[in-house]
């Protein structure tokens, strides 16, 4: 684990970038540092691998103070991923990933073999190995940057706004892939981002810093949304906290999935049931849901052109936020639910989801009520 114990950083001109910062980044978890510009989050992260040395206080890695570790040895224990990847433009992708192991004396072929394994781990197949960074998209370059940071299998990983330079669609894909990767590698990660939504998606815990590098609150994403420590934290996290907190709550067994009739592509309109107020769920040849379709838009057969794609589709194990979004965005008022295999499972009504939300709120309130009763 990484422990900050009353760490401060003051520059020669008197600027205090970080003040009396104490927190723990647990092993195998992602700790995200967020806060307004100039709050010291990047300075705090760079003090871990001593790119910046603290003025006072102690930072320890698994109980060992970093101040007593040779800087080169320290940085061998810590992978580092930066914005825009920072790749060597004159080296191929495989040699970018193999660079540090080669520097540490590993055989060229062994380093390249390991690099190819890591590229595959981050979703880049063999065809990318001989390419150069300029031949890659921004998202692909970031994947290479992550692979390079993992090349020496360090127990710790620092990430400085690693996904901020790519477009929103690629960014969402990288975030999802990175969470899946973390399930495999289980590194102790400290990440800096200016995006609170990214922090809520990726963080096991989030440390919110005030101006001047003071800790305002450190909490899980769910707790940060449910119980911000003060007005500063509440304002920084932003509005729609109640809706966003539904992303951490799953449906209970009382939520009923209804059977709304399906309309397979290519099927005869005459053979279809009436549906719910005329609405049916369009499915493809593998019975995967495509969206809603109204009987009035169906000609002789069901076609893809007649499908309404406005409504989102939620997985059966999705949090309540995804189920509610599927219902609210649906033209029929019900949300489409897909099973674990991607096949059409059924639909859920808005009122049923709201009832599930209310049950979850009562369930979370009950322990506090009982605790109050015990104290009385």
């Amino acid at each position: 684990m990484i422990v900050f114990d009353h760490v401060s950083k003051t520059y020669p001109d008197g600027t205090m970038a970080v003040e009396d910062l104490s927190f723990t980044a647990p092993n195998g978890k992602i700790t995200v540092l967020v806060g307004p510009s100039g709050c010291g989050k990047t300075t705090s992260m760079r003090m871990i691998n001593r790119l910046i040395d603290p003025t006072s206080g102690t930072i320890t890695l698994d109980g060992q103070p970093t101040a007593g570790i040779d800087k080169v040895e320290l940085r061998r224990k810590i992978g580092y991923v930066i914005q825009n990847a920072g790749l060597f433009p004159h080296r191929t992708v495989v040699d970018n990933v193999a660079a540090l192991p080669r520097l540490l004396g590993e055989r060229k072929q062994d380093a390249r073999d390991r690099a190819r394994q890591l590229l595959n781990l981050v979703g880049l197949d063999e065809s990318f190995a001989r390419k150069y960074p300029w031949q890659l998209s921004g998202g692909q370059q970031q994947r290479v940057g992550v692979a390079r940071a993992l090349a020496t299998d360090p127990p710790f990983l620092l990430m400085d706004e690693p996904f901020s330079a790519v477009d929103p669609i690629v960014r969402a894909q990288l975030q999802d892939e990175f969470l899946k990767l973390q399930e495999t590698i289980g590194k102790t990660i400290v990440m800096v981002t200016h995006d609170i939504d990214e922090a809520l998606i990726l963080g096991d815990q989030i440390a919110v810093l005030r101006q001047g590098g003071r800790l305002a609150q450190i909490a899980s994403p769910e707790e940060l949304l449910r119980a911000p420590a003060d007005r500063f934290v509440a304002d920084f996290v932003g509005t729609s906290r109640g809706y966003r907190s539904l992303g951490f709550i799953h449906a209970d067994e009382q939520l009923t999935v209804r059977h709304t009739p399906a309309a397979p592509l290519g099927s005869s309109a005459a053979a279809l049931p009436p549906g719910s107020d005329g609405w049916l769920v369009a499915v493809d040849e593998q019975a995967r849901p495509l969206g809603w379709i109204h009987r009035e838009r169906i000609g002789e057969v069901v076609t893809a052109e007649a499908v309404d794609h406005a409504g989102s589709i939620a997985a059966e194990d999705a949090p309540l936020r995804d189920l509610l979004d599927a219902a609210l965005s649906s033209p029929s008022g019900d949300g489409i639910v897909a099973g674990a295999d991607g096949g059409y499972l059924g639909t859920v009504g808005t009122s049923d989801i709201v009832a599930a939300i209310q049950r979850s709120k009562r369930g979370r309130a009950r322990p506090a009520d009982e605790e109050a009763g015990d104290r009385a």
Side-chain angles (χ1 to χ4, degrees):
M1 69 178 66
I2 302 172
V3 178
F4 277 64
D5 185 16
H6 299 287
V7 174
S8 296
K9 175 62 182 179
T10 305
Y11 288 100
D13 64 359
T15 300
M16 178 163 280
V18 177
E19 181 180 356
D20 197 32
L21 183 60
S22 296
F23 70 88
T24 297
N27 283 338
K29 303 295 184 181
I30 302 175
T31 298
V32 183
L33 307 183
V34 297
S37 297
C39 71
K41 51 188 182 289
T42 297
T43 299
S44 298
M45 189 189 70
R46 289 180 177 176
M47 286 193 286
I48 296 173
N49 63 357
R50 293 182 61 194
L51 288 175
I52 299 173
D53 285 316
T55 305
S56 61
T58 304
I59 300 172
T60 59
L61 302 184
D62 288 339
Q64 186 176 9
T66 57
I69 307 174
D70 176 76
K71 286 187 178 181
V72 174
E73 179 186 348
L74 174 67
R75 290 166 191 166
R76 289 177 183 174
K77 298 180 178 181
I78 304 173
Y80 195 29
V81 183
I82 62 174
Q83 187 180 139
N84 294 314
L87 303 178
F88 301 119
H90 60 289
R91 293 188 181 182
T92 62
V93 165
V94 70
D95 285 332
N96 261 280
V97 178
L100 185 54
R102 289 284 295 132
L103 187 64
L104 297 177
E106 190 169 333
R107 289 179 61 248
K108 188 174 186 178
Q109 190 57 50
D110 291 342
R112 284 182 167 179
D113 288 345
R114 169 65 175 159
R116 287 184 171 88
Q117 293 173 3
L118 288 168
L119 288 171
N120 185 66
L121 189 65
V122 299
L124 298 175
D125 61 34
E126 178 67 26
S127 66
F128 288 92
R130 303 303 301 173
K131 292 184 177 182
Y132 288 87
W134 58 269
Q135 295 175 297
L136 307 182
S137 68
Q140 290 165 347
Q141 290 183 34
Q142 285 304 125
R143 288 181 174 90
V144 176
V146 173
R148 185 176 63 178
L150 298 173
T152 58
D153 196 22
F156 307 100
L157 190 62
L158 306 181
M159 307 185 76
D160 191 359
E161 302 207 35
F163 309 131
S164 63
V166 295
D167 65 75
I169 293 177
V170 173
R171 187 175 192 176
Q173 293 172 344
L174 288 174
Q175 290 167 349
D176 183 58
E177 291 170 5
F178 182 71
L179 287 175
K180 293 176 182 176
L181 176 64
Q182 171 64 354
E183 291 179 3
T184 301
I185 62 178
K187 300 297 181 183
T188 302
I189 299 173
V190 174
M191 174 185 292
V192 165
T193 180
H194 67 279
D195 185 343
I196 185 61
D197 288 319
E198 180 169 76
L200 293 168
I201 292 168
L202 297 179
D204 292 297
Q205 66 173 7
I206 301 171
V208 182
L209 303 184
R210 303 180 192 275
Q211 209 72 32
R214 292 175 289 119
L215 183 65
Q217 184 175 5
I218 185 165
S220 68
E222 182 179 3
E223 182 182 354
L224 199 66
L225 289 167
R226 179 176 52 83
D230 56 25
R231 176 49 55 187
F232 169 79
V233 177
D235 289 344
F236 184 81
V237 174
T239 58
S240 304
R241 290 189 294 276
Y243 175 72
R244 290 151 80 192
S245 69
L246 296 178
F248 303 96
I249 305 170
H250 287 75
D252 56 26
E253 66 281 354
Q254 296 182 52
L255 182 63
T256 301
V257 177
R258 310 167 182 172
H259 177 69
T260 298
L265 292 183
S267 60
S268 169
L272 295 175
S276 176
D277 292 330
W279 288 105
L280 303 164
V281 177
V283 299
D284 65 12
E285 294 80 1
Q286 286 77 44
R288 295 174 300 196
L290 301 172
W292 290 95
I293 190 167
H294 200 276
R295 287 197 63 94
E296 293 180 354
R297 295 191 61 187
I298 302 174
E300 293 184 2
V301 297
V302 178
T303 63
E305 290 73 22
V307 177
D308 189 323
H309 297 281
S312 58
I313 298 171
E316 62 177 321
D317 60 350
L320 287 175
R321 182 177 64 181
D322 291 4
L323 292 169
L324 182 60
D325 182 77
L328 293 177
S329 62
S330 164
S332 76
D334 292 336
I336 299 174
V337 182
D341 61 354
Y344 173 53
L345 190 65
T347 61
V348 289
T350 306
S351 60
D352 294 328
I353 300 170
V354 172
I357 294 170
Q358 292 172 335
R359 288 194 299 271
S360 73
K361 291 178 71 69
R362 288 196 297 269
R364 294 200 306 275
R366 190 173 298 113
D369 295 342
E370 291 172 357
E371 183 181 342
D374 292 341
R375 287 197 300 268

